[in-house]
Amino acid sequence: MDFFEHNIDRFGTSSVKWERTKEVFKTNDDVLPLWVADMDFRPPKAVTDALQQRMEHGIFGYTFVGDSVNEAITAWMSSRHDWYIKHDWISYSPGVVPSIGKAITALTEPGDKVLVQSPVYPPFFSMVKANNREVENCPLVKNEEQYEIDFDAFEQSLKNGVSMFLLCHPHNPTGRVWTKDELTKMADLCLENDVIIVSDEIHSDLLFKPHKHIPMASLSPEIADQTITLMAPSKTFNLAGLQSSVIISSNESFRKKIAAVDQQQGSFTLNTFGIIAMEAAYRHGKEWLDDLLRYLEGNIQIVKDFLNEQLPELKLIEPQATYLLWIDCRKLGLSDAKLNHLFVEEGKVGFNPGTSFGKGGEGFVRMNVACPRSTLLEGLERMKKAIKP
Protein backbone atom coordinates (compact mmCIF):
# COMPACT_ATOMS: atom_id res chain seq x y z
CA MET A 1 0.00 0.00 0.00
CA ASP A 2 3.00 2.30 0.48
CA PHE A 3 3.23 2.36 -3.33
CA PHE A 4 0.24 4.71 -3.46
CA GLU A 5 1.55 7.05 -0.74
CA HIS A 6 4.30 8.55 -2.90
CA ASN A 7 3.77 12.16 -3.95
CA ILE A 8 4.99 12.35 -7.53
CA ASP A 9 5.55 15.80 -9.04
CA ARG A 10 3.53 15.87 -12.28
CA PHE A 11 4.53 19.38 -13.33
CA GLY A 12 6.58 19.46 -16.51
CA THR A 13 4.73 16.45 -17.96
CA SER A 14 1.96 18.44 -19.70
CA SER A 15 -0.51 17.12 -17.13
CA VAL A 16 -3.98 18.51 -17.82
CA LYS A 17 -4.93 17.95 -14.20
CA TRP A 18 -1.99 19.81 -12.68
CA GLU A 19 -0.84 22.25 -15.37
CA ARG A 20 -4.17 23.48 -16.76
CA THR A 21 -5.90 24.12 -13.43
CA LYS A 22 -5.48 27.90 -13.44
CA GLU A 23 -6.77 28.11 -16.99
CA VAL A 24 -9.77 25.85 -16.35
CA PHE A 25 -10.78 27.52 -13.09
CA LYS A 26 -9.97 31.02 -14.36
CA THR A 27 -7.76 31.98 -11.45
CA ASN A 28 -4.20 33.16 -10.92
CA ASP A 29 -3.90 31.31 -7.63
CA ASP A 30 -2.42 27.87 -7.05
CA VAL A 31 -5.42 25.57 -6.81
CA LEU A 32 -5.12 21.98 -5.60
CA PRO A 33 -6.56 19.89 -8.48
CA LEU A 34 -9.05 17.22 -7.42
CA TRP A 35 -10.98 17.25 -10.67
CA VAL A 36 -9.78 15.51 -13.90
CA ALA A 37 -10.45 11.75 -13.78
CA ASP A 38 -6.92 10.42 -13.82
CA MET A 39 -4.88 9.16 -10.88
CA ASP A 40 -1.72 10.47 -9.26
CA PHE A 41 -0.33 6.92 -9.06
CA ARG A 42 2.15 5.08 -11.24
CA PRO A 43 0.71 2.06 -13.10
CA PRO A 44 1.77 -1.51 -12.34
CA LYS A 45 5.51 -2.13 -12.61
CA ALA A 46 4.82 -4.78 -15.25
CA VAL A 47 3.43 -2.01 -17.46
CA THR A 48 6.36 0.37 -17.08
CA ASP A 49 8.80 -2.54 -17.54
CA ALA A 50 7.08 -3.55 -20.79
CA LEU A 51 7.15 0.03 -22.03
CA GLN A 52 10.83 0.39 -21.11
CA GLN A 53 11.70 -2.82 -22.94
CA ARG A 54 9.87 -1.66 -26.05
CA MET A 55 11.49 1.76 -25.88
CA GLU A 56 14.95 0.23 -25.68
CA HIS A 57 14.27 -1.61 -28.92
CA GLY A 58 14.36 1.82 -30.48
CA ILE A 59 12.32 1.39 -33.66
CA PHE A 60 8.77 2.71 -33.61
CA GLY A 61 7.32 1.96 -37.02
CA TYR A 62 3.75 1.04 -37.90
CA THR A 63 2.35 -1.40 -35.36
CA PHE A 64 -0.71 -3.63 -35.47
CA VAL A 65 -2.67 -4.99 -32.51
CA GLY A 66 -1.72 -8.66 -32.34
CA ASP A 67 -3.62 -11.73 -31.20
CA SER A 68 -1.83 -11.69 -27.86
CA VAL A 69 -3.62 -8.44 -26.99
CA ASN A 70 -6.99 -9.99 -27.83
CA GLU A 71 -6.08 -12.95 -25.65
CA ALA A 72 -5.19 -10.68 -22.72
CA ILE A 73 -8.48 -8.80 -23.06
CA THR A 74 -10.69 -11.90 -23.35
CA ALA A 75 -8.92 -13.49 -20.36
CA TRP A 76 -9.46 -10.32 -18.29
CA MET A 77 -13.15 -10.13 -19.17
CA SER A 78 -13.75 -13.76 -18.26
CA SER A 79 -11.79 -13.73 -15.01
CA ARG A 80 -12.85 -10.28 -13.79
CA HIS A 81 -16.41 -10.04 -15.10
CA ASP A 82 -17.50 -13.59 -16.01
CA TRP A 83 -17.97 -12.38 -19.57
CA TYR A 84 -16.85 -14.68 -22.34
CA ILE A 85 -16.19 -12.85 -25.58
CA LYS A 86 -14.72 -13.86 -28.92
CA HIS A 87 -11.63 -12.28 -30.45
CA ASP A 88 -13.47 -11.10 -33.54
CA TRP A 89 -15.90 -9.10 -31.40
CA ILE A 90 -13.05 -6.74 -30.48
CA SER A 91 -11.92 -3.63 -32.28
CA TYR A 92 -9.81 -0.73 -31.07
CA SER A 93 -10.02 3.01 -30.64
CA PRO A 94 -7.85 5.74 -29.08
CA GLY A 95 -10.44 6.29 -26.34
CA VAL A 96 -13.97 5.79 -25.13
CA VAL A 97 -15.06 9.30 -26.14
CA PRO A 98 -13.88 8.82 -29.76
CA SER A 99 -15.64 5.45 -29.68
CA ILE A 100 -18.89 7.12 -28.67
CA GLY A 101 -18.47 9.47 -31.60
CA LYS A 102 -17.78 6.59 -33.99
CA ALA A 103 -20.81 4.65 -32.78
CA ILE A 104 -23.09 7.67 -33.18
CA THR A 105 -21.75 8.38 -36.66
CA ALA A 106 -21.91 4.75 -37.80
CA LEU A 107 -25.26 3.68 -36.38
CA THR A 108 -27.52 6.74 -36.32
CA GLU A 109 -28.49 9.48 -38.75
CA PRO A 110 -28.22 13.28 -38.42
CA GLY A 111 -31.18 14.54 -36.43
CA ASP A 112 -31.73 11.24 -34.60
CA LYS A 113 -32.37 11.31 -30.86
CA VAL A 114 -29.84 9.78 -28.47
CA LEU A 115 -30.91 9.04 -24.90
CA VAL A 116 -28.74 9.99 -21.91
CA GLN A 117 -29.33 9.95 -18.15
CA SER A 118 -28.14 13.06 -16.35
CA PRO A 119 -26.27 13.94 -14.28
CA VAL A 120 -23.71 12.19 -16.46
CA TYR A 121 -20.21 12.44 -17.93
CA PRO A 122 -20.24 15.66 -20.04
CA PRO A 123 -19.10 14.09 -23.37
CA PHE A 124 -22.37 12.16 -23.44
CA PHE A 125 -23.98 15.47 -24.30
CA SER A 126 -21.19 17.01 -26.36
CA MET A 127 -20.61 14.01 -28.63
CA VAL A 128 -24.31 13.78 -29.48
CA LYS A 129 -24.45 17.47 -30.34
CA ALA A 130 -21.12 17.48 -32.20
CA ASN A 131 -22.46 14.75 -34.49
CA ASN A 132 -25.66 16.68 -35.27
CA ARG A 133 -27.91 14.42 -33.24
CA GLU A 134 -30.44 15.48 -30.62
CA VAL A 135 -30.07 14.78 -26.89
CA GLU A 136 -33.05 13.07 -25.26
CA ASN A 137 -32.42 13.40 -21.53
CA CYS A 138 -34.12 11.13 -18.99
CA PRO A 139 -32.65 12.30 -15.67
CA LEU A 140 -31.91 9.87 -12.89
CA VAL A 141 -33.95 10.22 -9.71
CA LYS A 142 -32.18 10.75 -6.41
CA ASN A 143 -33.72 9.04 -3.40
CA GLU A 144 -32.50 9.52 0.16
CA GLU A 145 -29.20 7.71 -0.36
CA GLN A 146 -28.71 6.83 -4.03
CA TYR A 147 -29.77 7.41 -7.63
CA GLU A 148 -32.41 5.34 -9.38
CA ILE A 149 -33.97 5.05 -12.82
CA ASP A 150 -37.53 6.23 -13.40
CA PHE A 151 -38.51 3.38 -15.69
CA ASP A 152 -41.81 4.95 -16.72
CA ALA A 153 -39.97 8.05 -17.87
CA PHE A 154 -37.25 5.89 -19.44
CA GLU A 155 -39.81 3.97 -21.50
CA GLN A 156 -41.53 7.17 -22.56
CA SER A 157 -38.22 8.66 -23.66
CA LEU A 158 -37.49 5.60 -25.80
CA LYS A 159 -40.86 6.00 -27.47
CA ASN A 160 -39.98 9.60 -28.43
CA GLY A 161 -38.11 8.41 -31.50
CA VAL A 162 -34.81 7.52 -29.82
CA SER A 163 -32.32 5.58 -31.97
CA MET A 164 -29.50 5.05 -29.46
CA PHE A 165 -29.09 4.90 -25.69
CA LEU A 166 -25.79 5.93 -24.08
CA LEU A 167 -25.48 4.01 -20.81
CA CYS A 168 -22.86 4.98 -18.23
CA HIS A 169 -22.13 1.74 -16.36
CA PRO A 170 -20.87 2.11 -13.63
CA HIS A 171 -22.24 5.59 -13.51
CA ASN A 172 -20.09 8.70 -13.55
CA PRO A 173 -20.47 10.90 -11.47
CA THR A 174 -22.90 9.23 -9.03
CA GLY A 175 -20.90 6.05 -8.48
CA ARG A 176 -23.91 3.78 -9.01
CA VAL A 177 -23.40 0.17 -10.05
CA TRP A 178 -26.48 -0.90 -11.96
CA THR A 179 -27.99 -4.19 -10.78
CA LYS A 180 -28.89 -7.12 -13.00
CA ASP A 181 -32.59 -6.26 -12.67
CA GLU A 182 -32.03 -2.63 -13.63
CA LEU A 183 -29.85 -3.57 -16.59
CA THR A 184 -32.36 -6.15 -17.78
CA LYS A 185 -35.25 -3.69 -17.59
CA MET A 186 -33.33 -1.07 -19.56
CA ALA A 187 -32.17 -3.59 -22.14
CA ASP A 188 -35.61 -5.16 -22.60
CA LEU A 189 -37.15 -1.74 -23.19
CA CYS A 190 -34.42 -0.93 -25.72
CA LEU A 191 -35.09 -4.22 -27.52
CA GLU A 192 -38.83 -3.53 -27.60
CA ASN A 193 -38.19 -0.12 -29.14
CA ASP A 194 -35.32 -1.16 -31.43
CA VAL A 195 -32.86 1.17 -29.70
CA ILE A 196 -29.12 0.50 -29.94
CA ILE A 197 -27.30 0.42 -26.60
CA VAL A 198 -23.82 1.92 -26.29
CA SER A 199 -22.56 0.94 -22.84
CA ASP A 200 -19.62 2.95 -21.51
CA GLU A 201 -18.05 0.54 -19.01
CA ILE A 202 -14.71 2.29 -18.55
CA HIS A 203 -15.06 2.26 -14.74
CA SER A 204 -16.07 -1.41 -14.61
CA ASP A 205 -12.90 -2.59 -12.85
CA LEU A 206 -13.16 0.00 -10.07
CA LEU A 207 -15.90 -1.56 -7.94
CA PHE A 208 -16.11 -1.82 -4.18
CA LYS A 209 -17.36 -4.93 -2.42
CA PRO A 210 -19.97 -6.36 -2.35
CA HIS A 211 -20.87 -4.78 -5.70
CA LYS A 212 -20.16 -6.64 -8.93
CA HIS A 213 -20.02 -5.36 -12.46
CA ILE A 214 -22.33 -7.10 -14.92
CA PRO A 215 -21.55 -6.20 -18.53
CA MET A 216 -24.76 -5.19 -20.28
CA ALA A 217 -23.95 -7.46 -23.21
CA SER A 218 -23.49 -10.48 -20.94
CA LEU A 219 -27.19 -10.65 -20.06
CA SER A 220 -28.33 -12.57 -23.14
CA PRO A 221 -27.39 -13.14 -26.80
CA GLU A 222 -30.34 -10.93 -27.85
CA ILE A 223 -29.15 -8.04 -25.67
CA ALA A 224 -25.54 -8.55 -26.78
CA ASP A 225 -26.65 -8.27 -30.41
CA GLN A 226 -28.16 -4.85 -29.65
CA THR A 227 -25.18 -3.58 -27.63
CA ILE A 228 -21.80 -2.00 -28.17
CA THR A 229 -19.55 -2.12 -25.11
CA LEU A 230 -16.76 0.41 -24.58
CA MET A 231 -13.92 -0.41 -22.19
CA ALA A 232 -10.33 0.68 -21.60
CA PRO A 233 -7.40 0.16 -19.24
CA SER A 234 -7.08 3.93 -18.89
CA LYS A 235 -9.08 4.50 -15.68
CA THR A 236 -8.23 1.13 -14.16
CA PHE A 237 -4.45 1.43 -14.52
CA ASN A 238 -3.96 5.19 -15.05
CA LEU A 239 -3.02 4.92 -18.73
CA ALA A 240 -5.27 7.60 -20.25
CA GLY A 241 -2.41 9.41 -21.96
CA LEU A 242 -1.49 6.29 -23.94
CA GLN A 243 -4.74 6.46 -25.92
CA SER A 244 -5.97 2.88 -26.12
CA SER A 245 -9.46 1.49 -25.68
CA VAL A 246 -11.66 -1.39 -26.77
CA ILE A 247 -14.96 -1.62 -28.66
CA ILE A 248 -16.73 -4.96 -28.17
CA SER A 249 -19.81 -6.17 -30.04
CA SER A 250 -21.13 -9.55 -31.13
CA ASN A 251 -23.13 -7.79 -33.87
CA GLU A 252 -21.18 -8.15 -37.11
CA SER A 253 -23.20 -5.43 -38.83
CA PHE A 254 -22.37 -2.94 -36.08
CA ARG A 255 -18.69 -3.84 -36.31
CA LYS A 256 -18.60 -3.39 -40.08
CA LYS A 257 -20.32 0.00 -39.90
CA ILE A 258 -17.90 1.23 -37.24
CA ALA A 259 -14.96 -0.11 -39.28
CA ALA A 260 -16.27 1.88 -42.26
CA VAL A 261 -16.12 5.06 -40.16
CA ASP A 262 -12.52 4.24 -39.28
CA GLN A 263 -11.76 3.88 -42.98
CA GLN A 264 -13.37 7.23 -43.73
CA GLN A 265 -11.24 8.87 -41.06
CA GLY A 266 -8.03 7.08 -42.02
CA SER A 267 -7.76 5.38 -38.62
CA PHE A 268 -6.37 1.85 -38.57
CA THR A 269 -4.31 1.15 -35.45
CA LEU A 270 -3.32 2.33 -31.97
CA ASN A 271 -0.25 4.04 -30.61
CA THR A 272 2.55 1.50 -30.20
CA PHE A 273 2.97 2.20 -26.51
CA GLY A 274 -0.78 2.09 -25.93
CA ILE A 275 -0.82 -1.45 -27.33
CA ILE A 276 2.09 -2.56 -25.14
CA ALA A 277 0.62 -1.02 -21.99
CA MET A 278 -2.85 -2.44 -22.59
CA GLU A 279 -1.59 -6.00 -22.91
CA ALA A 280 0.75 -5.77 -19.91
CA ALA A 281 -1.93 -4.24 -17.71
CA TYR A 282 -4.57 -6.83 -18.50
CA ARG A 283 -2.07 -9.70 -18.18
CA HIS A 284 -0.27 -8.64 -15.02
CA GLY A 285 -2.32 -5.92 -13.30
CA LYS A 286 -4.64 -7.91 -11.02
CA GLU A 287 -2.62 -7.68 -7.79
CA TRP A 288 -1.91 -3.98 -8.33
CA LEU A 289 -5.61 -3.31 -8.93
CA ASP A 290 -6.65 -5.19 -5.81
CA ASP A 291 -4.21 -3.07 -3.78
CA LEU A 292 -5.48 0.09 -5.47
CA LEU A 293 -9.09 -0.69 -4.57
CA ARG A 294 -8.16 -1.17 -0.92
CA TYR A 295 -6.32 2.15 -0.92
CA LEU A 296 -9.23 3.94 -2.58
CA GLU A 297 -11.65 2.47 -0.03
CA GLY A 298 -9.46 3.97 2.68
CA ASN A 299 -9.49 7.37 0.97
CA ILE A 300 -13.25 7.28 0.59
CA GLN A 301 -13.68 6.43 4.26
CA ILE A 302 -11.48 9.39 5.18
CA VAL A 303 -13.70 11.72 3.14
CA LYS A 304 -16.84 10.24 4.62
CA ASP A 305 -15.58 10.61 8.20
CA PHE A 306 -14.27 14.14 7.57
CA LEU A 307 -17.57 15.36 6.16
CA ASN A 308 -19.58 13.74 8.95
CA GLU A 309 -17.39 15.23 11.67
CA GLN A 310 -16.20 18.53 10.20
CA LEU A 311 -18.61 19.49 7.42
CA PRO A 312 -22.03 17.95 8.14
CA GLU A 313 -23.57 20.48 5.74
CA LEU A 314 -22.15 18.38 2.90
CA LYS A 315 -23.39 14.89 2.05
CA LEU A 316 -21.37 12.23 0.27
CA ILE A 317 -23.34 10.02 -2.10
CA GLU A 318 -21.92 6.63 -1.10
CA PRO A 319 -19.92 5.39 -4.11
CA GLN A 320 -20.35 1.80 -5.22
CA ALA A 321 -17.63 2.26 -7.84
CA THR A 322 -15.02 4.69 -9.20
CA TYR A 323 -12.60 7.04 -7.45
CA LEU A 324 -14.88 9.99 -8.23
CA LEU A 325 -17.05 11.19 -5.34
CA TRP A 326 -20.35 12.99 -5.85
CA ILE A 327 -20.88 15.47 -3.02
CA ASP A 328 -24.15 17.24 -2.28
CA CYS A 329 -23.48 20.87 -1.25
CA ARG A 330 -27.05 22.15 -1.54
CA LYS A 331 -27.45 22.79 2.19
CA LEU A 332 -24.94 25.61 1.85
CA GLY A 333 -27.69 27.49 0.00
CA LEU A 334 -25.33 28.88 -2.64
CA SER A 335 -25.76 29.31 -6.37
CA ASP A 336 -23.47 27.17 -8.47
CA ALA A 337 -21.39 30.19 -9.42
CA LYS A 338 -20.93 31.11 -5.75
CA LEU A 339 -20.21 27.50 -4.82
CA ASN A 340 -17.46 27.32 -7.43
CA HIS A 341 -16.07 30.67 -6.30
CA LEU A 342 -16.09 29.51 -2.68
CA PHE A 343 -13.96 26.45 -3.33
CA VAL A 344 -11.64 27.93 -5.95
CA GLU A 345 -11.05 31.42 -4.58
CA GLU A 346 -11.47 30.86 -0.86
CA GLY A 347 -10.39 27.26 -0.45
CA LYS A 348 -7.91 27.05 -3.37
CA VAL A 349 -9.22 23.62 -4.31
CA GLY A 350 -10.61 22.58 -7.68
CA PHE A 351 -13.55 20.19 -8.11
CA ASN A 352 -15.67 19.49 -11.19
CA PRO A 353 -18.82 21.63 -10.83
CA GLY A 354 -21.99 19.57 -10.79
CA THR A 355 -23.60 21.70 -13.48
CA SER A 356 -21.16 20.30 -16.06
CA PHE A 357 -22.96 16.95 -15.74
CA GLY A 358 -26.33 18.31 -16.83
CA LYS A 359 -29.71 18.46 -15.15
CA GLY A 360 -29.59 17.22 -11.59
CA GLY A 361 -26.01 18.34 -11.05
CA GLU A 362 -26.94 21.69 -9.55
CA GLY A 363 -25.48 22.15 -6.07
CA PHE A 364 -23.06 19.21 -6.38
CA VAL A 365 -19.34 18.86 -6.98
CA ARG A 366 -17.30 15.86 -8.17
CA MET A 367 -14.14 15.09 -6.23
CA ASN A 368 -11.28 12.87 -7.43
CA VAL A 369 -9.74 10.88 -4.55
CA ALA A 370 -7.23 8.86 -6.61
CA CYS A 371 -4.29 10.61 -4.98
CA PRO A 372 -1.90 10.07 -2.07
CA ARG A 373 -3.56 10.45 1.32
CA SER A 374 -1.53 13.57 2.12
CA THR A 375 -2.96 15.30 -0.99
CA LEU A 376 -6.47 14.21 -0.07
CA LEU A 377 -6.16 15.50 3.51
CA GLU A 378 -4.85 18.83 2.21
CA GLY A 379 -7.84 19.06 -0.11
CA LEU A 380 -10.28 18.37 2.72
CA GLU A 381 -8.68 21.02 4.92
CA ARG A 382 -8.94 23.54 2.07
CA MET A 383 -12.58 22.56 1.66
CA LYS A 384 -13.17 23.19 5.35
CA LYS A 385 -11.33 26.52 5.23
CA ALA A 386 -13.59 27.67 2.40
CA ILE A 387 -16.79 26.80 4.26
CA LYS A 388 -15.65 27.59 7.81
CA PRO A 389 -12.90 30.23 7.50
Side-chain angles (χ1 to χ4, degrees):
M1 300 292 275
D2 290 345
F3 179 90
F4 301 106
E5 291 286 357
H6 297 151
N7 279 293
I8 300 168
D9 185 359
R10 295 183 63 186
F11 284 96
T13 64
S14 299
S15 166
V16 172
K17 181 178 181 180
W18 286 89
E19 298 184 61
R20 286 285 177 90
T21 300
K22 290 182 179 181
E23 178 183 334
V24 169
F25 290 97
K26 297 179 174 60
T27 180
N28 292 320
D29 295 327
D30 289 325
V31 172
L32 186 68
L34 297 176
W35 59 296
V36 167
D38 66 5
M39 298 189 274
D40 292 328
F41 308 133
R42 287 195 174 101
K45 187 174 183 298
V47 172
T48 53
D49 285 350
L51 291 171
Q52 183 69 34
Q53 182 179 358
R54 184 65 182 84
M55 186 183 70
E56 288 175 354
H57 181 270
I59 298 176
F60 312 113
Y62 295 114
T63 310
F64 64 91
V65 183
D67 288 341
S68 62
V69 183
N70 289 339
E71 290 166 3
I73 292 166
T74 56
W76 182 267
M77 297 306 166
S78 62
S79 65
R80 202 82 189 181
H81 303 303
D82 297 322
W83 188 26
Y84 302 91
I85 63 175
K86 297 180 180 180
H87 287 196
D88 62 2
W89 295 1
I90 302 171
S91 58
Y92 295 92
S93 173
V96 164
V97 174
S99 298
I100 291 172
K102 286 198 281 190
I104 291 171
T105 300
L107 303 172
T108 66
E109 299 295 332
D112 280 2
K113 292 183 178 180
V114 178
L115 178 63
V116 303
Q117 297 168 305
S118 69
V120 74
Y121 183 47
F124 274 42
F125 299 102
S126 62
M127 293 308 296
V128 174
K129 295 174 182 176
N131 285 280
N132 299 313
R133 274 65 168 175
E134 182 180 339
V135 173
E136 174 77 18
N137 188 17
C138 182
L140 299 174
V141 177
K142 184 181 175 299
N143 62 25
E144 191 63 29
E145 299 296 332
Q146 275 295 348
Y147 283 80
E148 297 178 343
I149 299 160
D150 181 339
F151 280 100
D152 289 337
F154 184 83
E155 182 174 12
Q156 185 56 53
S157 290
L158 293 177
K159 293 182 183 299
N160 287 341
V162 166
S163 297
M164 177 176 285
F165 167 41
L166 299 184
L167 171 65
C168 197
H169 170 45
H171 193 267
N172 170 18
T174 71
R176 261 306 309 273
V177 174
W178 303 118
T179 66
K180 185 175 182 179
D181 284 347
E182 288 170 322
L183 292 168
T184 301
K185 286 181 182 178
M186 288 189 284
D188 285 347
L189 287 168
C190 287
L191 287 173
E192 288 173 18
N193 292 277
D194 194 26
V195 171
I196 297 166
I197 302 166
V198 175
S199 187
D200 172 2
E201 303 186 13
I202 196 171
H203 293 281
S204 58
D205 296 317
L206 299 168
L207 269 69
F208 306 118
K209 295 178 180 178
H211 303 285
K212 179 175 174 56
H213 178 74
I214 301 171
M216 172 63 92
S218 70
L219 294 174
S220 74
E222 294 76 21
I223 292 169
D225 201 47
Q226 194 76 356
T227 301
I228 295 166
T229 303
L230 309 180
M231 289 184 167
S234 51
K235 302 301 182 193
T236 308
F237 300 105
N238 204 28
L239 303 174
L242 293 178
Q243 303 283 291
S244 57
S245 77
V246 180
I247 303 172
I248 305 170
S249 182
S250 61
N251 188 312
E252 184 179 6
S253 174
F254 288 175
R255 297 197 305 268
K256 286 182 176 179
K257 289 178 180 178
I258 290 172
V261 172
D262 280 334
Q263 281 189 320
Q264 291 168 357
Q265 297 175 347
S267 174
F268 74 98
T269 191
L270 296 179
N271 176 285
T272 299
F273 288 98
I275 297 169
I276 297 293
M278 177 185 285
E279 180 173 358
Y282 282 137
R283 284 195 183 280
H284 307 294
K286 179 185 180 301
E287 184 177 344
W288 181 93
L289 176 57
D290 291 341
D291 288 342
L292 169 71
L293 290 172
R294 285 190 287 271
Y295 192 81
L296 292 176
E297 284 181 312
N299 276 3
I300 291 166
Q301 188 62 49
I302 286 171
V303 174
K304 187 176 180 180
D305 292 343
F306 189 94
L307 296 186
N308 287 340
E309 296 166 10
Q310 305 289 330
L311 296 172
E313 306 94 330
L314 307 186
K315 180 177 176 57
L316 172 65
I317 307 304
E318 191 80 28
Q320 300 171 348
T322 86
Y323 49 77
L324 305 168
L325 305 189
W326 191 234
I327 300 175
D328 187 347
C329 306
R330 290 176 295 178
K331 284 189 177 180
L332 295 177
L334 300 175
S335 68
D336 289 286
K338 289 183 178 179
L339 183 64
N340 185 63
H341 182 273
L342 178 74
F343 288 132
V344 173
E345 300 300 336
E346 303 299 328
K348 315 300 181 189
V349 60
F351 305 122
N352 292 96
T355 48
S356 65
F357 299 89
K359 185 177 180 181
E362 301 86 357
F364 286 77
V365 296
R366 192 188 74 173
M367 179 184 195
N368 182 346
V369 298
C371 57
R373 214 145 277 171
S374 57
T375 302
L376 177 63
L377 292 170
E378 173 67 20
L380 290 171
E381 288 296 334
R382 292 186 183 208
M383 202 176 192
K384 180 181 175 181
K385 180 183 176 181
I387 297 171
K388 297 180 177 179

